[in-house]
Every structure is written in C-alpha cells, then in structure tokens.
Amino acid sequence: MYSLNVPPPSEVTALAQSLAHDLPMARARARGEHTLVAKRLGVDDRTDFHPVAARVRDALAGTPTFEVRTDGIDYFSEDPIGPSPVVYLAIESPELYRLHRRLCEIIDPVANFEGDDYTPHVTIARGGDIDAADRLAEQGVDPVTWTVTELQFWDAKRSLPAGTVSLPA
C-alpha cells in the first residue's frame, strides 16, 4: 500500500535501532525501513497511485513546515495486520494531526488505523515478548524534535520512496 510519510531524521532512526536491542525476540525495523505515516493512500497499484498522489499534492498546497517530537515509548498489544506487540516511539505534533485530518477529507480513512484511531508513531520492532514491550515502554527517552521540511510518498510493497513534496508546499 502507498502512504504519505514524514521521513524521520537519523537521530530518531538511530534511537529506534538502539531501543530494539531491548526486544531480542522481536523483529526490529531494518535501516531505511523507519517511517512515520501521515496518511495511508488506500491504493496498492502503481497505476492507481498517480492520480491519488496528484490529489494529495493539491491538498498540500500552502502547507507550511511544522514540528514533530518523539514523546516516549509505547506499544500496540494487538495488531490486526502483523506480528504483535508493535513497540514504537510515540509522536506528538498538533500540526501532523491537522494534516492527517485534512487528508482524511479527500481520502477515506483506513478503519481501525486512521481518523479518530490515528496514532502517529515510528515503529521500533514487531512481535516478541509482551513483557519486554511493557518494560521498554516504562523507560523514558529524551525527546527528539525536528522540523518537517519534506513529505514522502512511500511504496510499502517495495519499501521504496515513490516521490516527495517539499514544504512549504
């Protein structure tokens, strides 16, 4: 599936990789796989992607740069589409929530993941031991704040970028 993502900076991906060592039975995200989904686009096929991407670009017109901050560690105990638990860096950004809601107006939200259920995050690892996830979530981490200057279309099937949008758009 295609999505529109906020590329996390190397400081965030390095933090996620470091924390994954505390989850030895889980599958950690590999280098280059860390993403922060702003909105899933609801298309799987490359042909369908292009018109949707054009609508998203139009909707992003005038979008300024904005700040995003890691806000601790948490986990989803159950994930309907893959191994659980999903341990992640929690993200705080009122602007990212606003962007997500605006995109949900032009592309239907994915049930149980988006709209009111949207939880912005950077995955650390999937699967493994729930007790290890709970212990890691109790740890504190120093927050990392960054300014989003670019959004990235992401092809999850191929784990590759499919285009970018510079901000301000």
Side-chain angles (χ1 to χ4, degrees):
M1 176 173 289
Y2 287 90
S3 59
L4 181 69
N5 295 352
V6 172
S10 59
E11 187 176 1
V12 171
T13 60
L15 175 60
Q17 288 178 320
S18 173
L19 292 168
H21 294 293
D22 292 332
L23 302 164
M25 296 173 53
R27 182 194 170 276
R29 289 284 171 136
R31 184 182 202 114
E33 288 184 349
H34 294 94
T35 60
L36 168 52
V37 175
K39 176 72 180 88
R40 289 168 179 83
L41 302 182
V43 294
D44 291 318
D45 183 81
R46 200 174 265 202
T47 304
D48 296 333
F49 163 71
H50 292 291
V52 171
R55 285 180 32 222
V56 169
R57 286 181 189 279
D58 288 344
L60 293 173
T63 300
T65 61
F66 58 92
E67 286 201 343
V68 173
R69 178 174 57 89
T70 59
D71 192 28
I73 304 166
D74 206 346
Y75 64 92
F76 304 116
S77 57
E78 299 287 327
D79 184 5
I81 62 169
S84 300
V86 178
V87 182
Y88 61 85
L89 290 168
I91 300 295
E92 180 55 40
S93 174
E95 295 85 1
L96 180 57
Y97 280 100
R98 280 193 285 279
L99 174 66
H100 176 77
R101 285 191 300 273
R102 184 168 22 133
L103 293 173
C104 283
E105 291 174 6
I106 64 162
I107 300 168
D108 290 337
V110 176
N112 302 315
F113 289 100
E114 295 187 324
D116 292 339
D117 295 318
Y118 179 59
T119 303
H121 66 280
V122 175
T123 298
I124 297 169
R126 290 178 158 274
D129 179 45
I130 192 81
D131 292 330
D134 196 45
R135 283 191 301 276
L136 189 60
E138 290 176 4
Q139 289 184 12
V141 291
D142 292 331
V144 178
T145 302
W146 74 97
T147 300
V148 177
T149 60
E150 173 182 273
L151 298 170
Q152 186 176 69
F153 290 104
W154 186 256
D155 179 346
K157 186 185 288 184
R158 294 170 188 82
S159 292
L160 293 170
T164 60
V165 178
S166 294
L167 299 179

